[in-house]
Amino acid sequence: MTKKTTLGPILEINLAMLFISTSGIFGRFIQLPPELTIALRGIFAALFLGLFILWRKSSWHIASKDRGAILIGGILLGVHWVLYFYALQLSNVAIGMLSIFTYPVITSLLEPLVLKTKFHTIHIFLAILVLFGLYLLAPEFSLESDATLAIILGVISAFCYALRNLIMKTKVQKYEGTILMWYQIMIVSVLLIPVLFMNVNWPSVQEQWPYLALLGLLTTTIGHTLFLSSFKHFSVTTASLMSSAQPIYGIILGILFLQEIPGIRTIIGGALILVSVVVESRRAVK
């Protein structure tokens, strides 16, 4: 790709990361069971994205041979979201967000196996850099702490997210990102419908409608659709490594809205992650 054709997508993916990073503060603000939060998030997002698709008059058609992959992608996305929100509730924005950012490392190892792409040594170096940054950001490891459980859930969430992204990479060249995202959101919403009838405290839910609506609009509809669309311009590994800016944005939002001030280890670790983003962005432009 030329510099002219690549700078736009790089800006787009960073905008996507800014919107997706709002999930951290919303996950902390919304005090509901994660399954219920994700179910309502899906309903709001499906409504917003569905209206946008109708406005654009896009085609809803998905070939029968691709429906199975989209179904699996939707299930993986749902598991990723639920486990991620459990991690947020058990810890804080920094730990919750940074634990799922093992997914670029997982992606760089899985992509050559799943998509049969060429293995690039630079991706291993950058993945190790990101991993070391995450190590510095993580608290002291203890099996008895909620923070440790949050990290474990975050890593499982990251695996699901990496696998879902690799599956969607094979479809994003054929369909609009909005269409793919809408179907996956609908799959998540349908699978979680039963939680809407399980002793839900609806007065408590009604108090949090604004946060749920913003989670569905900003984080899901805009953020995830932009990120999925970026797969047209970059490999999944490249997109994943570049998206490592997301926890930086998330931590900044956590400082602004939750007064969760990071320590020196968080600053150093975040700096290493940011270095990997800059290196990969420059490599992609070239």
Side-chain angles (χ1 to χ4, degrees):
M1 290 183 200
T2 66
K3 188 171 182 178
K4 183 177 180 180
T5 58
T6 308
L7 283 176
I10 286 177
L11 292 175
E12 180 182 69
I13 196 173
N14 276 278
L15 185 61
M17 290 307 101
L18 178 59
F19 281 118
I20 293 176
S21 69
T22 60
S23 64
I25 57 172
F26 289 136
R28 298 284 287 160
F29 273 133
I30 299 170
Q31 296 301 308
L32 298 173
E35 298 90 342
L36 178 59
T37 299
I38 299 307
L40 295 171
R41 170 188 189 173
I43 291 170
F44 274 114
L47 176 61
F48 292 136
L49 197 55
L51 291 173
F52 178 71
I53 292 170
L54 289 173
W55 176 73
R56 290 192 60 180
K57 299 181 180 178
S58 302
S59 172
W60 298 87
H61 177 70
I62 299 290
S64 57
K65 64 179 180 180
D66 296 323
R67 293 171 188 169
I70 293 174
L71 173 62
I72 294 172
I75 293 171
L76 289 170
L77 183 64
V79 175
H80 158 65
W81 278 345
V82 170
L83 294 182
Y84 170 45
F85 271 62
Y86 268 112
L88 285 172
Q89 288 193 357
L90 287 168
S91 55
N92 54 42
V93 172
I95 294 175
M97 293 194 72
L98 293 165
S99 64
I100 69 167
F101 264 80
T102 52
Y103 93 84
V105 180
I106 297 170
T107 300
S108 66
L109 298 176
L110 288 180
E111 185 170 15
L113 299 175
V114 176
L115 300 182
K116 310 301 180 184
T117 57
K118 182 180 178 181
F119 179 79
H120 295 282
T121 307
I122 185 64
H123 286 152
I124 291 296
F125 169 74
L126 294 176
I128 291 173
L129 190 62
V130 170
L131 190 60
F132 185 61
L134 296 179
Y135 165 75
L136 292 177
L137 289 157
E140 183 179 356
F141 185 83
S142 172
L143 293 176
E144 298 179 354
S145 72
D146 285 345
T148 299
L149 178 57
I151 292 172
I152 292 172
L153 292 176
V155 171
I156 298 173
S157 172
F159 179 84
C160 293
Y161 193 44
L163 192 55
R164 172 262 186 180
N165 289 345
L166 289 168
I167 292 172
M168 287 301 100
K169 173 65 175 178
T170 65
K171 308 302 175 189
V172 77
Q173 300 296 339
K174 298 172 61 176
Y175 307 103
E176 291 184 25
T178 51
I179 297 296
L180 291 173
M181 195 66 201
W182 186 83
Y183 277 111
Q184 289 174 88
I185 290 170
M186 286 300 297
I187 291 166
V188 173
S189 300
V190 170
L191 290 176
L192 291 176
I193 280 178
V195 305
L196 300 178
F197 304 96
M198 296 181 179
N199 299 319
V200 175
N201 183 353
W202 287 109
S204 177
V205 172
Q206 290 171 5
E207 293 175 359
Q208 301 181 69
W209 281 134
Y211 299 138
L212 290 164
L214 287 172
L215 178 64
L217 177 61
L218 298 180
T219 312
T220 312
T221 302
I222 299 177
H224 279 277
T225 299
L226 284 175
F227 182 54
L228 192 59
S229 297
S230 73
F231 294 169
K232 291 182 179 180
H233 308 287
F234 306 108
S235 71
V236 181
T237 296
T238 297
S240 298
L241 286 165
M242 290 172 66
S243 72
S244 295
Q246 182 185 327
I248 305 299
Y249 296 138
I251 290 170
I252 292 172
L253 291 175
I255 294 172
L256 294 176
F257 292 98
L258 300 171
Q259 289 73 54
E260 293 183 355
I261 309 225
I264 186 64
R265 284 172 61 95
T266 299
I267 294 172
I268 295 173
L272 291 177
I273 294 172
L274 190 57
V275 166
S276 73
V277 175
V278 172
V279 171
E280 181 61 13
S281 296
R282 290 179 63 85
R283 194 196 69 83
V285 168
K286 294 177 181 179

